[in-house]
Structure formats: structure tokens, C-alpha cells
Amino acid sequence: MGRLAGKVAVITGASQGMGAAHAVAFVAEGAKVILTDINEVAGRAVAESLGGDAMFIRHDVASASGWAQVVADGEARFGPINVLVNNAGIIGPVARTAEIAEADYAHVCAVNQTGVFLGMQAVLLSMLALGGGSIINVSSTSGMVANVGTPNLAYAGSKFAVRGMTKQVAVEYGADNIRANSVHPGYVNTPMMVAATDEDGGGAASAIPLGRFAEAQEISPLVVFLASDESSFITGMEHVIDGGMTAS
Ligand SMILES: NC(=O)c1ccc[n+]([C@@H]2O[C@H](COP(=O)([O-])OP(=O)(O)OC[C@H]3O[C@@H](n4cnc5c(N)ncnc54)[C@H](O)[C@@H]3O)[C@@H](O)[C@H]2O)c1
């Protein structure tokens, strides 16, 4: 039996990068997975490669009505959702704070922060009715400490907000057996990171004690653990996975 047998999970931003890696790992551990993303072509391809235990729904995490549809369609196929991985995110403007356009700031907040709020709100009623669930919100080391090399206030603010919202939900819903944890990766080799580190390339790796970026598949075991009943007494915590980058 897989470690996620009996779990029905929504994973957002699952068309590529870490979300796709998590979907692969979840199905391998016995979960049924609803992959969502705005990138429909790639998302359908990932879901199809995973067979009958996966389905794809095109969905913008910043859309409340979209979330209602994801829950309705996902539960019609696989039954009540008991795991949510709020993974979708965008980098937004890399510029010092005085130069950030308000519209760009607002867009990052809509996806990275409001998207996480809407996702939790959408699944909490199902989890309450079921008597429990696990929410995993993907923040970043940028939700733990300020980013020295890459100025990005909108990203940092949204990722700190994810960390705080996670704790709030953990406290509000602990008595309902609903757990909420945040995951804080450092640098991970994904399409997002390739785009963000174009200019300083390998330089960032020298700040990491392990001396390299992670692969997406190295983050998935932590997310599987937090989704599984193995982590039944862990809630309201931030889980940093950064090759030691924030240790000093
Ligand atoms: N790559 C890193 O080094 C790193 C480090 C720390 C945290 N993170 C976080 O991890 C998560 C995954 O990042 P990744 O590196 O795999 O990124 P990625 O860009 O490779 O993948 C993100 C996915 O999210 C989707 N997406 C973007 N906006 C969306 C929206 N509005 N609605 C639904 N889907 C949307 C994209 O289409 C894409 O498929 C993000 O929240 C990111 O902030 C990444």
C-alpha cells in the first residue's frame, strides 16, 4: 500500500517544475491527484502520463469561481478532497522596491497570496465534513529571510504571507484534525528558476552549503510526508529545504 493510499489531492501549478514532480510522487504513493494549472497543454500531458489516478483541470488560482469548479469536478471523479498542495506561484518583477509598478505587485499578490487563501477556503468545507485533511502551502526561503541577491519585494511579501496564513489556518482548524504546513524551498532547478537566474547563473550556488541547486524531485518527498498520515502531529510549521542556504 502506498503512503498516500486513500488521499485525494489537489496540486496547483502542476504542469511543470515542482508541481509536476509532486504529482508524479503522489500517484506513485497511491494518491488520486487533481492537477491544475493555467498551462493546459503541458498539464494535460502530465496528467495523461500518470494514467487513471490523475486528472487535469485548467484553472487560475486567483479565480474564486475556478476553485469552486475544481472542487466540484475533482470530487465528482475521485471523491472528497483531503489534501491540498498550493504550489502555483510566479516570481514577478525583479527590481528594487521604488521601481516596482503597482499593477505588477498586485498581480504577484493575486497569484501567490490570494490564490493560496482561495484554495484553502475552497477545500476546508470538504475537509471539515470528512473529519480531517492536510494543507501544504508552498512558500520559499524568501518567506523566511530577505533575498540578498535578487530584489523582489512582491515575491517576498507574498511568500511571508503564505507562511503566516498557514499558521493561522493551523491554529483555527487544529481541533478539526486539519493540518496546515508551509514548505520553503531554496533554489530548485525548474523553469521558474532558470528564468530568474539567467543573469547571475552559477553564482547563487556558492551561497548554498551543499554547493548546488536542488532538483524538483528532491522536494517532493517532503511534500509527500506532509500529505501523509506519517506527519499526523505536525502542523503550523515552516519546513525549510534549501541545502543549508539559510543556516548562516
Ligand atoms: N524554483 C525555485 O527555486 C523555487 C524556490 C522557492 C519557492 N518556489 C516556489 O515553488 C512553487 C513552484 O515553483 P516552480 O519553480 O516549480 O515554478 P514553475 O514556474 O516551474 O511552475 C509554476 C507553475 O505554476 C503555474 N502558474 C502560474 N501562474 C498560475 C496561476 N495564476 N494559476 C495556476 N497556475 C499558475 C505555471 O503555469 C507553472 O506551470 C512556486 O510557488 C514558487 O514560488 C520555487
Side-chain angles (χ1 to χ4, degrees):
M1 268 250 281
R3 294 158 68 203
L4 297 180
K7 304 297 184 195
V8 176
V10 174
I11 303 178
T12 68
S15 291
Q16 64 179 35
M18 278 183 264
H22 301 338
V24 171
F26 271 48
V27 169
E29 289 293 350
K32 311 255 190 245
V33 180
I34 302 143
L35 298 86
T36 81
D37 206 292
I38 50 175
N39 182 343
E40 182 161 7
V41 173
R44 284 203 188 285
V46 176
E48 275 164 25
S49 75
L50 294 174
D53 288 337
M55 68 184 287
F56 175 81
I57 301 174
R58 192 196 180 282
H59 168 230
D60 181 340
V61 292
S63 159
S65 61
W67 270 110
Q69 201 62 49
V70 166
V71 172
D73 293 353
E75 295 199 339
R77 168 94 180 262
F78 290 140
I81 292 161
N82 48 20
V83 175
L84 169 64
V85 183
N86 273 317
N87 166 78
I90 56 173
I91 286 260
V94 176
R96 289 211 292 167
T97 300
E99 281 103 49
I100 296 174
E102 186 183 347
D104 291 340
Y105 172 85
H107 182 50
V108 173
C109 291
V111 176
N112 292 6
Q113 181 174 340
T114 308
V116 168
F117 157 66
L118 292 173
M120 293 196 290
Q121 203 172 50
V123 301
L124 277 167
L125 287 180
S126 295
M127 291 182 176
L128 283 170
L130 266 179
S134 176
I135 295 171
I136 298 125
N137 292 327
V138 179
S139 176
S140 166
T141 47
S142 295
M144 299 297 297
V145 294
N147 195 328
V148 178
T150 319
N152 193 334
L153 175 114
Y155 189 75
S158 67
K159 292 302 188 180
F160 265 85
V162 168
R163 178 183 174 194
M165 291 193 294
T166 305
K167 288 187 186 294
Q168 186 62 40
V169 165
V171 168
E172 287 180 19
Y173 290 93
D176 301 298
N177 195 32
I178 297 170
R179 300 183 293 111
N181 288 282
S182 52
V183 169
H184 300 256
Y187 290 103
V188 185
N189 278 321
T190 66
M192 172 190 278
M193 194 37 60
V194 169
T197 52
D198 254 3
E199 281 162 29
D200 68 347
S206 64
I208 304 169
L210 290 182
R212 62 177 178 86
F213 290 4
E215 298 304 324
Q217 292 75 11
E218 294 181 278
I219 311 302
S220 301
L222 173 60
V223 180
V224 167
F225 170 69
L226 291 172
S228 78
D229 296 338
E230 294 164 10
S231 58
S232 54
F233 203 58
I234 301 176
T235 194
M237 287 310 295
E238 46 280 277
H239 303 268
V240 177
I241 178 162
D242 68 351
M245 188 172 67
T246 54
S248 64

